[in-house]
Amino acid sequence: MKNSVRQSAASLGAIAVMMAVSAPAFAQTPAAPAASAEPGLDEIVVTASGRDKSRLQSAVAVTSVDAATIANFKPVSESEIYRLIPGIQAAGTAGPGGNSNIAVRGLPVATGGSPFVQLQEDGLPTVLFGDIQFGNNDYFTRYDASVERLESVRGGGATTYASQAPGAIINYISNTGEKAGGFFGINQGLDFREARVDFRYGAPIGENTRFHIGGFYKVGNGPLNNFRVSNSIQIKANLTQEFGDGKGYVRLLAKFANTKDPNYTGAPALATRNGNTVSNITPFAGFDGRSQNNYSVYNTTGLFLNRAGTALERRDIDGITTKQFSIGAQFHYEFGDNFTVDNNFRWSDISGAFAAPFLNLTRTTGIIGSTVNGGVVASLRYAAGPRAGQVYTGTYVDNNVNVRTNIRDAGSIANDLALSGKFDAGFAKVTARAGLFVMRQNIGMDWHVNQSTREVSGDNPAQLDLYTAAGARLTNEGISGYNNNWGTCCARDYDLSYTNTAPFLSLDLDGEAFALDGSVRFENVKAKGGGTQGGTTITVSSGGVNLPALLSNSVREVVDYSRSYTSWTAGALWKANANTSIFIRASKGGRFNGDRQTFGGKFTTTGALCTSAQARAATNGCTADGVTPSVDFVNQYEIGIKNRGNIGTGRYSVEFSLLKADFKQSTFELSATRCGGAAGGCIIDSKYRSTGAEFFGTLSFGAFSLVANATYSDSQQLDGTTYRRASYLPSLTYTVSTNYDIGDMVTLGLAATGQSSVRDDPGNVYPGGIIVNSTISVRPVEHLEVGLQAYNLFNKLDFRGNGSNVADVTGANSVVLTGTPVVGQTFLGTLKYSF
């Protein structure tokens, strides 16, 4: 009787929470899909866990997003997939090449990348740090057909089971061929030129052996470009040999990737501004960011000063490119009934480049009459294209950089070893774990940032050359200087390596009604290497014009130090009944600041971290404290409920958490926009605090299914002595997906993703928005599926506040702004044959 009453009360409370959170999102129309309802809360958690508990009985916030859900959504970038995961806050507008800002649970991104979020493939990070400059972790991770599901752990559970992940882990878990089968699929853009082939196949090949292989090949223009800028291939394979006694297995894994995809660098728009409120955003004439981009057929290559500083070399401007080859091995074995050993190893050879035209608007009249390279500018003329040589008369020009950063080496070697023992203590089952994680991450890059001038157009913008009144050309191919666009900070050349060594311990008590756990991780990161930045300016002859070029030949900065710190977490779970659990968790986690610490006066002449006393005294080459900002610490607290049950003939599940956190972040930023208009970069040191809530729910009634998630965060940044709303982070993001099966032949899907308003650094507030996607899939015969998918069905111009800033005032309340909008209305045809 008491159990029945307690179960009913818990179920009704969970339903009420789900309805309260999901109702406002659903009222504004569905949002993007989230994780599938199956297998639901009984699924065993393998990410940041002991691999022996279900989602329902784990005292952490964990979500799985299966391959079918992602296939229905058809995200246009890697980071947009993460909008399917509660707690993850990513605009998803950076494009298929990557370079996204991925925040989590109100932990914003002060500059770029994913400082608190680690991306893993089969339990190991793709790169150690999520915010490597010009090397964010989403460059090197691509969802493909080999992935069975994404699994994400947020909060304290991620803190001690992985290094450099105090906010969240997103793990790409591979299919291993347990069941024979696969598919071959073709995705073809119907209103844009792009084709993608996906495939996978796996099967047992003997009593104890199985394999799986899968991947994709993509080629085309993409929805925003007028020439072929995407050309990517990725293949992943694994081979599993189980031991005859059924106690474990050995698995070999391999990955090959050669990718080239654009990252979207922004578009202009028109808007109204009243005070700090921006509204009525409309497309800019001749450059609609929903369907156009800054890449150009007239700017596919450019001249860049070589690494040695001895010659100009013509290199591609082709977005983000990666070359990857990795091999790995996993070992799992159970010794008797009590002890288990797991080892996960991977070696990776990674290189690539970041090459793109950035966007910034300025008035043409501001350039006319200015002095450039010793001459007074009298006119701007097209440097290429059908109007080459003609005078440019547009109101605005794009005076941002043509950049190419060569990623010579981002390779790594990693190993994660864990030993666990399980014992029955009578009152509870006790599990103790001990392990050691070691990873060496290389970062070798050289930066080339050219001063550039081009027309403002979304239709293959041409570079613009500057001329004097006498007709003397002051630039070549629209470039007025080499390596010097952002000042001496950003002509860089460095080779760094970071070795992260982390022993960890955990203890878990699992009783009939309660579970308790605690774990600690002892981090040590050893940094070595060094590099140079801008020093001497020389003159080079480029196309008959003498132009300045900044060499990376300053006094070499040496890096030779180590930093140790400790992360911990503790949690408790109450098993209210077979369908309900309530958990609490507290944690403190650290993340190491890697290459963003360099060239900031934070190291002594011998490479040690500068102390604050040395910085104040300006001794040993120190101008800034290096010890304090070398590690960012995050304190997190959460309480959550997980529940499932029946509603009439239907089923539901709900997960809801209340969150609180505080943390600090110190990082280098090279954008003048975020540095108060100052060129040459700046150090951003700030403290943050955040409260919020996280929701995930599923509902199914016969042929109808619904999945939803929402994240609310009140994230604040310390500004002087007071806290203000954190920049570039919406208070609310939400996702909903619905599907309806008509018999066995047809499936209809409706999905949408939305968010609330966003504030930028100067305090301007941009409106939120919602985009709607739809799908229809038809299965005319067995094994064959034909589909039509619409992305941004209503062609919403939604900037999501991602990097937006007011570029120019054109009237009393009219402004021109720049930002990166969501891709506009696009249609995709699909054909899939399963076998």
Side-chain angles (χ1 to χ4, degrees):
M1 179 68 174
K2 290 182 179 179
N3 288 339
S4 177
V5 171
R6 185 176 65 179
Q7 179 173 349
S8 299
S11 298
L12 288 172
I15 295 170
V17 168
M18 184 177 74
M19 293 176 66
V21 176
S22 64
F26 191 75
Q28 297 179 50
T29 309
S36 160
E38 295 297 337
L41 295 177
D42 285 328
E43 185 176 49
I44 298 298
V45 180
V46 301
T47 303
S49 72
R51 298 172 179 261
D52 59 356
K53 287 189 176 183
S54 67
R55 287 167 52 194
L56 180 65
Q57 297 197 1
S58 296
V60 295
V62 56
T63 301
S64 289
V65 183
D66 64 15
T69 297
I70 297 172
N72 289 337
F73 184 42
K74 287 297 178 188
V76 294
S77 67
E78 201 70 26
S79 68
E80 195 170 46
I81 298 176
Y82 308 146
R83 293 178 74 89
L84 312 181
I85 302 172
I88 304 299
Q89 297 157 301
T93 60
N99 205 41
S100 301
N101 296 336
I102 306 171
V104 56
R105 289 183 158 191
L107 309 183
V109 178
T111 53
S114 313
F116 302 108
V117 179
Q118 184 183 98
L119 301 185
Q120 295 183 348
E121 291 182 356
D122 295 309
L124 287 175
T126 50
V127 289
L128 182 61
F129 308 114
D131 62 342
I132 297 173
Q133 296 176 100
F134 290 112
N136 297 346
N137 50 16
D138 65 341
Y139 290 21
F140 311 110
T141 308
R142 292 284 189 277
Y143 176 81
D144 67 17
S146 71
V147 178
E148 180 187 60
R149 69 185 187 276
L150 301 189
E151 191 171 79
S152 173
V153 173
R154 283 92 57 206
T159 297
T160 57
Y161 273 91
S163 295
Q164 317 310 325
I169 298 169
I170 301 174
N171 188 14
Y172 290 60
I173 300 173
S174 295
N175 194 312
T176 60
E178 291 182 346
K179 295 181 180 180
F183 74 85
F184 178 84
I186 299 175
N187 301 320
Q188 176 66 55
L190 301 181
D191 53 351
F192 63 98
R193 297 181 62 185
E194 182 176 282
R196 172 171 170 144
V197 174
D198 292 275
F199 75 96
R200 78 166 189 87
Y201 182 71
I205 48 175
E207 184 177 354
N208 297 314
T209 308
R210 63 182 188 271
F211 79 98
H212 190 273
I213 185 170
F216 74 91
Y217 175 64
K218 181 177 71 172
V219 64
N221 299 5
L224 304 188
N225 301 288
N226 295 315
F227 67 100
R228 194 179 81 174
V229 70
S230 290
N231 192 359
S232 297
I233 185 171
Q234 176 171 288
I235 298 174
K236 293 165 64 180
N238 57 70
L239 177 68
T240 302
Q241 177 65 51
E242 296 181 348
F243 299 125
D245 58 6
K247 295 288 187 177
Y249 61 85
V250 173
R251 178 174 297 134
L252 303 179
L253 305 98
K255 172 184 175 182
F256 168 79
N258 190 332
T259 67
K260 181 179 76 168
D261 280 301
N263 71 298
Y264 301 146
T265 58
L270 304 175
T272 300
R273 184 176 67 175
N274 290 309
N276 286 331
T277 301
V278 177
S279 60
N280 301 323
I281 299 177
T282 58
F284 188 87
F287 197 153
D288 187 339
R290 293 171 297 184
S291 58
Q292 296 178 311
N293 197 12
N294 214 26
Y295 289 88
S296 172
V297 70
Y298 307 124
N299 193 33
T300 59
T301 65
L303 293 172
F304 295 89
L305 189 67
N306 67 5
R307 185 185 176 199
T310 57
L312 295 176
E313 297 178 350
R314 187 164 294 281
R315 304 297 298 274
D316 291 334
I317 303 174
D318 53 359
I320 296 175
T321 57
T322 73
K323 294 182 179 180
Q324 302 178 65
F325 177 68
S326 67
I327 54 175
Q330 296 176 343
F331 174 80
H332 171 83
Y333 194 76
E334 301 170 9
F335 294 90
D337 296 328
N338 298 103
F339 294 96
T340 302
V341 62
D342 286 280
N343 195 74
N344 199 357
F345 166 83
R346 183 193 296 135
W347 170 86
S348 298
D349 182 16
I350 301 176
S351 60
F354 178 104
F358 282 13
L359 177 72
N360 182 69
L361 266 63
T362 189
R363 286 183 175 267
T364 306
T365 53
I367 294 179
I368 301 294
S370 66
T371 300
V372 176
N373 296 334
V376 177
V377 179
S379 65
L380 291 74
R381 303 181 189 177
Y382 290 92
R387 289 177 286 186
Q390 297 180 22
V391 174
Y392 177 73
T393 59
T395 303
Y396 295 96
V397 297
D398 175 3
N399 68 339
N400 213 333
V401 63
N402 264 2
V403 59
R404 182 177 174 91
T405 294
N406 297 314
I407 307 171
R408 299 190 306 274
D409 184 8
S412 64
I413 185 168
N415 195 83
D416 195 8
L417 171 65
L419 175 66
S420 64
K422 298 180 181 181
F423 311 94
D424 192 341
F427 65 93
K429 294 180 180 179
V430 179
T431 302
R433 297 183 183 88
L436 177 66
F437 170 81
V438 180
M439 182 170 181
R440 177 187 169 111
Q441 176 69 60
N442 298 328
I443 306 176
M445 297 190 186
D446 48 281
W447 298 9
H448 307 271
V449 289
N450 295 346
Q451 291 182 340
S452 175
T453 308
R454 69 180 63 85
E455 69 173 317
V456 178
S457 171
D459 184 16
N460 287 316
Q463 296 286 106
L464 300 174
D465 275 327
L466 311 181
Y467 286 80
T468 67
R473 185 158 50 94
L474 303 173
T475 61
N476 181 48
E477 298 184 8
I479 302 301
S480 53
Y482 296 100
N483 290 355
N484 61 350
N485 188 78
W486 290 322
T488 57
C489 79
C490 301
R492 293 191 174 187
D493 192 326
Y494 50 90
D495 285 283
L496 306 167
S497 69
Y498 298 88
T499 302
N500 192 159
T501 303
F504 56 89
L505 300 167
S506 72
L507 185 65
D508 187 304
L509 280 69
D510 191 359
E512 182 178 351
F514 289 90
L516 301 172
D517 72 85
S519 55
V520 63
R521 192 177 186 91
F522 305 98
E523 303 276 8
N524 176 269
V525 183
K526 175 68 175 178
K528 293 187 71 68
T532 57
Q533 62 175 353
T536 305
T537 296
I538 63 173
T539 299
V540 298
S541 177
S542 178
V545 182
N546 290 327
L547 299 179
L550 182 62
L551 299 179
S552 177
N553 66 346
S554 63
V555 175
R556 180 176 175 82
E557 179 181 75
V558 178
V559 175
D560 187 3
Y561 69 97
S562 65
R563 180 77 156 86
S564 297
Y565 57 97
T566 302
S567 299
W568 62 266
T569 186
L573 179 84
W574 176 41
K575 304 173 186 178
N577 53 58
N579 294 313
T580 306
S581 63
I582 298 173
F583 71 93
I584 59 172
R585 180 162 295 280
S587 65
K588 180 177 181 178
R591 58 88 54 186
F592 184 85
N593 278 315
D595 62 310
R596 289 181 182 266
Q597 282 273 92
T598 57
F599 303 111
K602 297 182 178 182
F603 305 111
T604 69
T605 54
T606 59
L609 285 171
C610 293
T611 65
S612 56
Q614 289 173 320
R616 288 192 298 270
T619 58
N620 285 344
C622 295
T623 60
D625 177 11
V627 176
T628 302
S630 61
V631 178
D632 294 334
F633 288 101
V634 181
N635 298 303
Q636 297 180 85
Y637 313 92
E638 63 183 300
I639 181 170
I641 182 172
K642 305 177 185 182
N643 176 260
R644 63 188 175 190
N646 298 321
I647 301 179
T649 60
R651 291 283 295 171
Y652 76 88
S653 69
V654 61
E655 300 165 65
F656 180 76
S657 300
L658 295 175
L659 318 166
K660 184 177 181 180
D662 62 82
F663 67 102
K664 69 175 186 65
Q665 189 173 9
S666 177
T667 185
F668 174 79
E669 169 60 39
L670 54 82
S671 166
T673 301
R674 304 211 67 183
C675 292
C682 62
I683 301 294
I684 295 179
D685 290 296
S686 194
K687 294 182 179 180
Y688 298 84
R689 65 187 185 189
S690 177
T691 57
E694 183 179 279
F695 163 80
F696 177 75
T698 68
L699 181 65
S700 61
F701 274 101
F704 174 81
S705 64
L706 180 147
V707 185
N709 73 60
T711 303
Y712 169 78
S713 63
D714 178 15
S715 183
Q716 299 180 342
Q717 178 181 359
L718 185 63
D719 188 358
T721 58
T722 60
Y723 280 90
R724 62 163 177 82
R725 181 181 176 186
S727 301
Y728 303 107
L729 195 67
S731 298
L732 177 67
T733 58
Y734 51 88
T735 283
V736 177
S737 175
T738 61
N739 282 285
Y740 186 77
D741 293 325
I742 304 175
D744 295 328
M745 290 188 60
V746 180
T747 298
L748 303 177
L750 188 65
T753 180
Q755 67 180 50
S756 60
S757 64
V758 169
R759 178 194 187 276
D760 67 9
D761 284 327
N764 302 301
V765 178
Y766 300 84
I770 182 171
I771 65 165
V772 178
N773 308 326
S774 64
T775 63
I776 179 171
S777 299
V778 180
R779 294 169 289 278
V781 296
E782 189 177 7
H783 303 305
L784 181 65
E785 179 178 288
V786 180
L788 174 64
Q789 300 177 344
Y791 181 85
N792 196 355
L793 183 63
F794 303 114
N795 204 28
K796 169 75 173 179
L797 181 61
D798 185 4
F799 273 78
R800 290 183 179 167
N802 184 35
S804 299
N805 61 87
V806 174
D808 189 44
V809 177
T810 61
N813 293 316
S814 300
V815 295
V816 177
L817 58 87
T818 60
T820 309
V822 174
V823 171
Q825 182 188 78
T826 57
F827 293 94
L828 191 73
T830 65
L831 181 66
K832 179 179 178 180
Y833 182 75
S834 301
F835 45 86

